Amino acid sequence: MADKDGLKIAKDYHTDIAFANNNPFHVKGANSLDWGMKKHLANIFDPKSGNTVMFAFDHGYFMGSTAGLERLDLVVPKLMPNIDCLMGTRGALRTCVPPENRKAVALRVSSGSSMLNDDLSHEVVAVDIEDAIRMNADCMAVQTFIGADGQLSSLDNLNKVINAGFRYSIPTLGVVAVGKDMERTDRFFKLATRIIAEMGVQIVKTYYCDNFEEVVAACPVPIVVAGGKKLPEDEALTLAYRAIQGGAHGVDMGRNIFQSNHAIEMSQAIRKIVHEGFTDKEAWEFFQDAIH
Ligand code: R5P
């Protein structure tokens, strides 16, 4: 109990000022969500730029040890200062990521296949909601295979996670999977992102494509663009720039950051595009200056 002696009289009621907490929430499609969901989303998406730099290092969940991620305990902390949201498995996060970091967490919760399978589309929900809560996850990532053999079970996984997420106010990140036989066209991405959004996710991860602006326009929640296979750094910066120009609210890059010979500088350059309005050319110049 506060000491009652010498209490100041409460009088600063500012009756001439309207209630201040009335601003629209900065995350697309999230205005009607509750406070807990919004708090998690605000941990992921910067209130000033509205965007996020996610760093994906969840590859081990089906690829095992991946080039550039052999030592998660060394790689992740090194890159963390330039990252807003860490996307990883609970095994990687618990063992290799210091809990005192202040970054948002996108927890990979689906799994079930490996590089040894031809068809990767059969997964289960491997992490229960209680563990996501224990890990203070800001969102739960579910791979979603639209048009693949495992479509039904992956939509079932997605919906189970969304339902659990709504019970405890943890957002779900639906990840559009692209199999080797699946087209990477705006037609496919409009279909997949919209289905995933209508299931009730709060964030969609997908790939950049022609007519990307239309994919974004038709998706009522923020899209973060996947990095994909390693590109030369200037091309990866152009990908990030085009994604942001096209209306993405961030990138979720893995190999294009951690497989770069200059991963720290690459993460800094990506950050310039995502948060500071740099063009790809400006970010490339920044990158070159930084590595020399
Ligand atoms: C992709 O959907 C999976 O989550 C991957 O494990 C990872 O996020 C891919 O990252 P990148 O393609 O940028 O290396």
Side-chain angles (χ1 to χ4, degrees):
M1 279 260 290
D3 186 347
K4 286 192 279 185
D5 291 340
L7 274 185
K8 283 180 78 175
I9 305 295
K11 57 181 169 48
D12 294 336
Y13 293 102
H14 303 288
T15 53
D16 55 332
I17 302 177
F19 184 67
N21 188 23
N22 264 334
N23 294 333
F25 189 60
H26 65 285
V27 177
K28 184 177 183 182
N31 264 327
S32 302
L33 298 177
D34 76 354
W35 196 91
M37 279 268 187
K38 285 179 173 163
K39 185 71 182 83
H40 284 302
L41 290 168
N43 289 343
I44 297 169
F45 294 98
D46 183 86
K48 201 161 158 221
S49 67
N51 296 339
T52 189
V53 177
M54 274 193 198
F55 175 53
F57 55 94
D58 59 337
H59 304 60
Y61 101 92
F62 74 107
M63 293 171 80
S65 176
T66 307
L69 288 182
E70 296 87 343
R71 288 289 303 270
L72 289 166
D73 59 315
L74 301 179
V75 174
V76 180
K78 181 176 84 172
L79 295 171
M80 238 154 33
N82 304 311
I83 303 302
D84 299 306
C85 183
L86 301 165
M87 183 189 194
T89 61
R90 62 178 167 183
L93 287 158
R94 276 208 172 92
T95 57
C96 299
V97 180
E100 60 268 30
N101 82 78
R102 308 291 294 272
K103 306 299 176 178
V105 166
L107 181 64
R108 156 73 53 190
V109 299
S110 65
S111 72
S113 54
S114 80
M115 290 301 281
L116 301 179
N117 302 124
D118 280 338
D119 180 359
L120 300 173
S121 71
H122 297 278
E123 294 194 337
V124 294
V125 178
V127 178
D128 61 34
I129 187 70
E130 287 79 9
D131 210 28
I133 295 167
R134 276 192 290 274
M135 296 203 65
N136 203 20
D138 291 295
C139 67
M140 300 175 286
V142 181
Q143 208 74 11
T144 313
F145 298 86
I146 303 296
D149 197 44
Q151 173 179 297
L152 177 61
S153 60
S154 90
L155 284 176
D156 188 42
N157 294 339
L158 182 70
N159 282 307
K160 282 180 177 142
V161 172
I162 293 167
N163 287 333
F166 274 120
R167 279 203 296 281
Y168 298 101
S169 288
I170 302 181
T172 301
L173 165 62
V175 181
V176 176
V178 281
K180 54 180 184 302
D181 301 325
M182 286 148 94
E183 47 176 290
R184 293 189 180 218
T185 61
D186 62 318
R187 193 175 74 115
F188 172 70
F189 290 125
K190 276 176 197 156
L191 174 81
T193 57
R194 184 61 175 261
I195 289 174
I196 291 172
E198 297 225 13
M199 295 302 109
V201 302
Q202 289 74 31
I203 314 168
V204 170
K205 170 177 174 174
T206 192
Y207 290 85
Y208 184 78
C209 60
D210 291 342
N211 291 327
F212 183 70
E213 294 80 359
E214 291 181 5
V215 178
V216 169
C219 182
V221 298
I223 286 182
V224 291
V225 163
K229 68 174 186 206
K230 173 77 175 72
L231 301 167
E233 279 81 356
D234 58 337
E235 291 177 30
L237 293 172
T238 296
L239 168 68
Y241 175 64
R242 287 189 181 152
I244 297 297
Q245 286 298 104
H249 283 286
V251 295
D252 184 7
M253 278 192 169
R255 287 165 288 178
N256 277 298
I257 293 178
F258 66 72
Q259 289 183 345
S260 169
N261 290 333
H262 304 283
I264 293 176
E265 293 82 358
M266 190 59 187
S267 62
Q268 290 168 336
I270 292 285
R271 195 165 185 83
K272 297 278 179 200
I273 292 171
V274 170
H275 288 306
E276 296 180 32
F278 274 37
T279 64
D280 49 348
K281 188 167 170 288
E282 288 167 336
W284 173 238
E285 283 164 9
F286 168 88
F287 176 78
Q288 285 182 306
D289 285 348
I291 66 172
H292 289 123

